[in-house]
């Protein structure tokens, strides 16, 4: 019966034997697909193009494709969350998986997960205590775009012991690894499922596995489990029927309550999500009681103890890279001390702490598994993560989140962005930026990179150009012993940052990308008092030759405004005189590493520190992109050291001229200060563009 339900609801055939452990989707699903297919693809030069394909002419052998260059990010402010489903949806869909079938466990692939790109890695979801396999229901659609998703369903009355569940998962892993030996396999386990995933990884050290463990059950709290077990033993067997009779909830009679719930959540839209989840549990008590009848709960407790004991005894044999998602409010099935031990024991382990979340992590708002995978650089299609080929463009909502995180900075500084057209005219827009890559943007780095959020987001919104910024490798480490919370660097990974290296510059330009480079690097971004707007560039023309090899345009740019939002009151020189700060600075510098080690110039003085800042009433940020410099056809010419040095100095000079131009022109901006800008928006609307100096 459950097999029939799986086929009718999810449009697939369940995998019932090791020899046929391959998910099969039915033809009805294919017939149900719409004829007009809309997809978003990333072109080589970093722009996003929306492709509309009309399949009505496929029968005639003609394919009509209309390519429209537009920005899917232009209306980012109105973007809605990527994850639309909630706990109530889980309850509704779980009804169809709860039957009298006693087994065996089987794999299924949700229809929402059918849009993965070619070459996507396999993701096997191993459920927690519910066993339905629907634990990722909120994430199915988004996961299905980058993974081939299979979910394990363990029927309610199935009594397969932990060791046999491990054997079942292991057979699937081996079978798929044999079919696609170069494809990584992800095991995503929730609580008990995390223990089973660890066991499988320990037994298959030669298979390319990646583990994502959500609140891995590392111990069983006997203070809670023993009284619970005793209470369950004395409860009557007819608890599900009793609940239905007392509360009057049946599958048919829940519809009026659902309608009432919809009305409530529409009336109280702010708290609608919370209300819906609270009522979802009470409105679906019969479903819950069928998922967790007394005998099943007793069995799950025994399964839990067995799985935890086995995982703890085998964890030392695990060699797979691991991402642990740790809730701050789950004290029943795990201990923080155990997770710390796991992080030390596992050779390649990242721990992602979520202090405000509870046991059922994947059902909670604010938890997006795909976004977490992006932020930890945990996605790969090959043997290791490649920051170029494995990068996934941000969704519109992810970009909105980045803008919202920096909304105070953007609103307070009202950025003015200027660019230069081919005829030399300066305009207040980004119209002068080249559309086609490769393009290399070279400019000045503000203190702590304050200029980045407004610039990168505006270029993506206005011109649909995705800048791939070259950044210090320390921003991409997941060191658990780092002095700062590495989650503060998530924005660089989401927005396409790449560790700076000559090889990565080469690869990006070869792919015709739009590349953002700061030759001054850490030394410029962590400058001292009185060094604002001073360039700390290397003496050698490092980027000129590689740009000419691919005929890349070089766009020099300048940025000013940092001196209008704060003063540096405690720089590196000051902190060296304070013992505790000196020790912290030395440790931070050691952890970061020095990319210019051996360089005797000032550029080699790359001390990592956090400056003490005194905020000001904010002024305004100004950006000026100069006229693009052509290098196409100059590869042979620029092989000459003197010619390359000449072009390098020209770029540097133009960056300095951009800065000088902005510093001069801002003096005549009547809206440079905050108060005039506030008054202007109060009278013209808060979404209106604030004027600036005459061009």
């Amino acid at each position: 019966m459950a097999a029939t339900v799986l086929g009718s609801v999810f449009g697939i055939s369940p995998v019932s034997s090791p020899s046929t452990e391959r998910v099969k989707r039915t033809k009805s699903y294919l017939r149900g697909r719409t004829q007009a297919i809309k997809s978003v693809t990333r072109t080589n030069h970093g722009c996003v193009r929306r492709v509309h394909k009309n399949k009505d002419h496929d029968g005639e052998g003609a394919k009509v494709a209309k390519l429209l260059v537009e920005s899917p990010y232009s209306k980012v402010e109105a973007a809605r969350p990527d994850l639309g489903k909630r706990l109530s949806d889980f309850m509704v869909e779980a009804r169809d998986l709860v039957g009298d079938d006693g087994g065996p466990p089987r794999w299924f692939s949700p229809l929402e997960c059918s849009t993965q790109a070619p070459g996507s890695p396999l993701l096997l979801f191993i459920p927690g205590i519910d066993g339905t396999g629907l634990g990722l229901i909120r994430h199915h659609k988004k996961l299905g775009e980058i993974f081939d998703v299979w979910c394990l369903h363990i029927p309610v009355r199935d009594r397969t012991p932990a060791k046999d569940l491990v054997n079942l998962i292991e057979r699937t892993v081996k079978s798929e690894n044999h079919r696609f030996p170069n494809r990584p396999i992800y095991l995503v386990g929730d609580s008990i499922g995390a223990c089973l995933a660890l066991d499988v990884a320990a037994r298959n050290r030669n298979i390319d596995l990646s583990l994502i463990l959500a609140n891995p059950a590392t111990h069983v709290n006997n203070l809670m489990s023993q009284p619970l077990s005793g209470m369950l033993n004395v409860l009557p067997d007819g608890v599900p029927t009793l609940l239905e009779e007392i509360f009057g909830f049946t599958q048919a009679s829940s519809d009026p309550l659902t309608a009432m719930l919809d009305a409530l959540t529409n009336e109280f839209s702010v708290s609608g999500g919370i209300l819906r989840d609270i009522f979802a549990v009470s409105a679906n008590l019969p479903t819950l009681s069928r998922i967790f009848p007394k005998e099943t709960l007793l069995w799950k407790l025994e399964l839990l103890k067995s799985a935890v004991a086995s995982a703890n005894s085998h964890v030392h044999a695990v060699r797979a890279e691991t991402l642990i998602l740790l809730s701050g409010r789950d004290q029943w099935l795990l201990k923080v001390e155990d997770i710390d031990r796991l992080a030390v024991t596992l050779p390649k382990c990242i721990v992602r702490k979520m202090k405000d979340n509870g046991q059922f992590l994947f059902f909670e708002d604010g938890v997006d598994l795909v976004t977490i995978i992006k932020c930890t650089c945990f996605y790969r299609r090959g043997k290791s993560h490649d920051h170029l080929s494995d990068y996934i463009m941000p969704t519109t909502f992810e970009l909105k989140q980045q803008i919202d995180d920096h909304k105070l900075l953007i609103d307070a500084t009202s950025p003015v962005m200027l660019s230069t057209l081919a005829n030399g005219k300066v305009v207040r827009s980004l119209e002068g930026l080249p559309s086609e890559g490769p393009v290399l943007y070279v400019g000045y780095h503000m203190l702590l990179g304050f200029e980045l959020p407004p610039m990168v987001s505006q270029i993506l919104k206005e011109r649909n150009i995705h800048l791939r910024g070259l950044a210090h490798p320390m921003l991409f480490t997941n060191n658990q012993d780092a002095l700062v919370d590495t989650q503060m660097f998530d924005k660089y990974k989401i927005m396409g940052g790449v560790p700076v290296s000559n090889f990565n510059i080469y690869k990006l330009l070869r792919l015709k990308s739009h590349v953002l480079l700061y030759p001054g690097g850490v030394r410029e971004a962590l400058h001292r008092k009185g060094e604002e707007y001073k360039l700390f560039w290397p003496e050698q023309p490092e980027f000129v030759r590689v740009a000419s090899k691919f005929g890349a345009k070089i766009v020099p740019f300048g940025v000013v405004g940092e001196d209008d939002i704060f003063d540096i009151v405690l720089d590196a020189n000051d902190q060296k005189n304070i013992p505790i700060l000196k020790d912290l600075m030395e440790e931070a510098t050691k952890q970061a590493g020095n990319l210019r080690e051996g360089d005797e110039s000032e550029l080699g003085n790359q001390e990592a520190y956090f400056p003490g800042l005194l905020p000001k009433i904010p002024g305004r940020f100004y950006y000026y992109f100069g006229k693009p410099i052509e290098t196409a056809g100059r590869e042979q010419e620029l092989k000459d050291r003197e010619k390359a040095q000449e072009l390098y100095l020209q770029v540097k000079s133009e960056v300095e001229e951009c800065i000088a131009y902005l510093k001069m022109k801002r003096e005549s901006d009547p809206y440079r200060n905050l108060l005039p800008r506030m008054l202007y928006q109060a009278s013209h609307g808060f979404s209106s563009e604030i004027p600036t100096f005459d061009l």
Side-chain angles (χ1 to χ4, degrees):
M1 177 179 175
T4 305
V5 169
L6 284 170
S8 62
V9 174
F10 295 97
I12 48 81
S13 297
V15 180
S16 56
S17 67
S19 62
T20 60
E21 285 181 349
R22 176 67 183 144
V23 177
K24 301 176 182 178
R25 298 182 175 90
T26 60
K27 293 183 179 179
S28 62
Y29 161 64
L30 297 175
R31 289 196 298 268
R33 295 190 67 181
T34 57
Q35 292 298 305
I37 296 178
K38 296 182 180 180
S39 63
V40 177
T41 58
R42 179 182 180 275
T43 62
N44 284 336
H45 54 77
C47 292
V48 177
R49 294 175 180 261
R50 187 173 296 278
V51 183
H52 299 274
K53 295 181 181 178
N54 191 332
K55 299 183 71 176
D56 291 337
H57 303 289
D58 284 356
E60 303 172 4
K63 295 183 179 179
V64 180
K66 184 180 181 182
L67 194 62
L68 301 174
V69 179
E70 60 175 303
S71 176
Y73 303 100
S74 59
K75 298 180 180 179
V76 64
E77 290 80 6
R80 299 179 64 83
D82 297 321
L83 308 182
K85 291 192 173 182
R86 310 187 61 84
L87 180 60
S88 55
D89 298 289
F90 166 80
M91 294 293 184
V92 171
E93 297 196 22
R95 292 176 191 166
D96 298 314
L97 293 178
V98 179
D100 297 327
D101 183 13
R106 67 211 69 176
W107 299 100
F108 69 91
S109 183
L111 282 178
E112 294 171 301
C113 301
S114 61
T115 58
Q116 70 270 8
S120 296
L122 176 64
L123 185 150
L124 302 178
F125 175 63
I126 309 169
I129 197 167
D130 65 285
T132 61
L134 294 174
L136 294 178
I137 189 170
R138 297 187 70 239
H139 311 264
H140 281 167
K141 187 176 185 300
K142 202 171 177 183
L143 282 172
E145 295 174 356
I146 59 174
F147 288 105
D148 183 7
V149 181
W150 297 14
C151 303
L152 182 63
H153 172 64
I154 305 173
V156 172
R157 303 195 182 281
D158 178 76
R159 297 295 180 261
T160 304
K163 64 178 183 178
D164 290 342
L165 289 173
V166 170
N167 289 336
L168 181 150
I169 301 166
E170 183 180 30
R171 287 196 300 271
T172 305
V173 166
K174 287 183 175 180
S175 172
E176 289 303 304
N177 181 68
H178 178 74
R179 296 178 69 245
F180 303 103
N182 297 321
R183 179 173 74 162
I185 298 175
Y186 283 70
L187 300 181
V188 180
D190 185 9
S191 62
I192 300 177
C195 296
L196 301 177
L198 282 170
D199 252 357
V200 172
R203 294 167 55 165
N204 296 274
R205 290 179 289 179
N206 295 325
I207 295 180
D208 187 10
L209 297 175
S210 292
L211 308 182
I212 300 178
L213 312 178
N215 292 326
T218 56
H219 84 296
V220 180
N221 190 334
N222 290 326
L223 290 176
M224 296 181 66
S225 63
Q226 288 180 355
L228 178 60
S229 178
M231 181 181 68
L232 288 172
N233 278 312
V234 300
L235 280 177
D237 293 334
V239 171
T241 306
L242 186 62
L243 286 171
E244 292 184 25
E245 291 178 355
I246 292 176
F247 292 98
F249 293 134
T250 64
Q251 186 165 339
S253 66
S254 63
D255 290 339
L257 184 59
T258 303
M260 180 186 72
L261 180 57
D262 288 336
L264 278 172
T265 53
N266 289 332
E267 185 70 23
F268 303 101
S269 57
V270 175
S271 59
I274 299 173
L275 281 175
R276 182 176 294 278
D277 284 347
I278 291 173
F279 284 111
V281 175
S282 58
N284 289 277
L285 281 176
T287 303
L288 282 175
S289 63
R290 289 191 178 97
I291 295 175
F292 300 114
K294 186 182 81 169
E295 311 83 31
T296 299
L297 276 177
L298 288 169
W299 168 252
K300 295 286 186 180
L301 287 175
E302 294 305 315
L303 179 66
L304 172 64
K305 294 176 183 178
S306 174
V308 168
S310 181
N312 286 337
S313 63
H314 297 147
V315 68
H316 293 278
V318 176
R319 294 293 176 266
E321 61 178 358
T322 307
L323 170 61
I324 296 178
L325 308 180
L326 180 62
S327 295
R329 296 186 284 109
D330 177 21
Q331 302 300 322
W332 180 35
L333 297 180
L334 61 83
K335 289 181 179 177
V336 176
E337 297 80 9
D338 292 332
I339 299 300
D340 292 338
R341 175 181 59 82
L342 265 180
V344 173
T345 303
L346 298 173
K348 295 172 285 185
C349 182
I350 304 168
V351 178
R352 188 86 171 182
K353 296 182 179 179
M354 302 175 179
K355 298 178 181 178
D356 298 326
N357 296 103
Q359 166 65 28
F360 303 106
L361 194 62
F362 292 134
F363 290 114
E364 299 193 26
D365 289 335
V367 177
D368 186 327
L369 182 55
V370 172
T371 301
I372 292 171
I373 290 172
K374 291 180 183 181
C375 291
T376 50
C377 299
F378 207 70
Y379 183 73
R380 58 188 177 90
R381 298 180 180 90
K383 293 296 181 183
S384 60
H385 176 78
D386 187 301
H387 288 279
L388 278 67
S389 61
D390 290 329
Y391 174 67
I392 305 167
M393 287 283 290
T395 65
T396 309
F397 184 71
E398 286 172 341
L399 176 60
K400 181 180 184 298
Q401 287 180 309
Q402 294 302 312
I403 295 175
D404 289 346
D405 288 344
H406 299 93
K407 185 173 178 59
L408 180 61
L409 174 68
I410 295 172
D411 290 347
T413 57
S414 304
V416 175
M417 298 196 182
L418 313 176
S419 64
T420 310
L421 303 180
N423 60 8
K425 181 181 179 180
V426 178
V427 294
R428 187 184 177 181
S429 72
L430 298 173
E431 183 183 351
L433 301 185
S435 298
E436 301 294 328
V439 182
L440 184 63
Y441 299 79
V442 184
Y444 167 72
H445 214 349
M446 271 191 186
L447 186 70
L448 299 177
F450 274 108
E451 82 283 0
L452 281 169
M455 180 176 72
V456 173
S457 59
Q458 186 60 30
I459 290 176
L460 189 55
K461 286 171 55 182
E462 184 177 332
R463 289 298 313 277
N464 197 21
I465 292 173
H466 184 217
L467 290 183
R468 301 301 303 272
L470 292 157
H472 196 288
M474 68 178 175
L475 304 184
F476 301 90
T477 61
N478 292 292
N479 183 7
Q480 305 303 315
D481 298 323
L483 294 176
V484 297
D485 184 358
T486 56
Q487 293 188 36
M488 66 185 295
F489 303 136
D490 287 354
K491 57 188 175 184
Y492 301 108
K493 302 167 190 176
I494 283 286
M495 297 306 297
V498 179
V500 63
S501 70
N502 292 331
F503 187 50
N504 281 339
I505 297 175
Y506 180 93
K507 290 197 297 182
L508 284 166
L509 293 179
R510 184 181 63 186
L511 292 171
K512 298 185 178 181
S513 301
H514 289 245
V515 185
L516 176 62
L517 173 66
Y518 293 105
V522 171
R523 180 62 183 86
E524 206 164 85
L526 297 177
H527 59 250
R528 281 64 161 170
K529 297 175 184 175
E531 293 179 345
E532 58 270 8
Y533 310 127
K534 180 180 179 181
L535 301 185
F536 292 91
W537 286 24
E539 296 180 0
Q540 301 300 320
E542 299 174 335
F543 58 82
V544 168
R545 291 182 182 176
V546 68
S548 66
K549 182 175 181 63
F550 299 102
K553 298 180 180 69
I554 299 176
V555 178
F557 70 92
V559 188
V560 303
E562 67 174 77
D563 54 341
D564 271 354
I565 61 172
F566 54 71
D567 284 325
I568 302 175
V569 295
L570 203 64
D571 65 9
N573 296 326
D574 298 323
Q575 294 185 22
K576 288 178 183 178
N577 298 322
I578 304 174
I580 187 171
L581 295 181
K582 179 183 178 182
D583 292 342
L584 286 173
M585 188 168 67
E586 290 176 352
E587 179 61 26
T589 303
K590 180 181 177 182
Q591 289 185 5
N594 190 343
L595 298 180
R596 300 285 182 179
E597 191 171 1
D599 191 329
E600 296 182 357
S601 69
E602 184 60 30
L603 188 62
N605 184 20
Q606 294 190 354
E607 294 169 320
Y609 81 105
F610 194 88
L613 304 177
L614 180 64
K616 294 182 177 180
I617 297 176
R620 203 169 190 183
F621 280 0
Y622 302 88
Y623 300 74
Y624 178 24
F625 295 90
K627 185 177 179 179
I629 300 172
E630 295 282 353
T631 65
R634 302 182 63 184
E635 181 179 0
Q636 292 300 321
E637 174 192 351
L638 294 174
K639 285 183 177 179
D640 181 84
R641 185 183 300 272
E642 291 185 1
K643 292 290 185 181
Q645 184 69 17
E646 182 181 330
L647 179 58
Y648 178 74
L649 293 177
Q650 177 190 345
V651 175
K652 183 178 181 181
S653 174
E654 293 201 17
V655 171
E656 291 173 330
E657 289 176 7
C658 289
I659 294 173
Y661 173 85
L662 292 174
K663 289 175 67 177
M664 176 189 68
K665 295 293 288 185
R666 71 175 177 175
E667 297 296 333
S668 60
D669 184 1
Y671 298 99
R672 177 180 175 182
N673 297 319
L674 179 62
L675 182 58
R677 298 200 301 271
M678 293 177 64
L679 293 174
Y680 182 89
Q681 287 192 320
S683 58
H684 292 79
F686 289 99
S687 60
S688 59
E689 184 181 70
I690 302 172
T692 186
F693 50 76
D694 294 329
L695 299 178

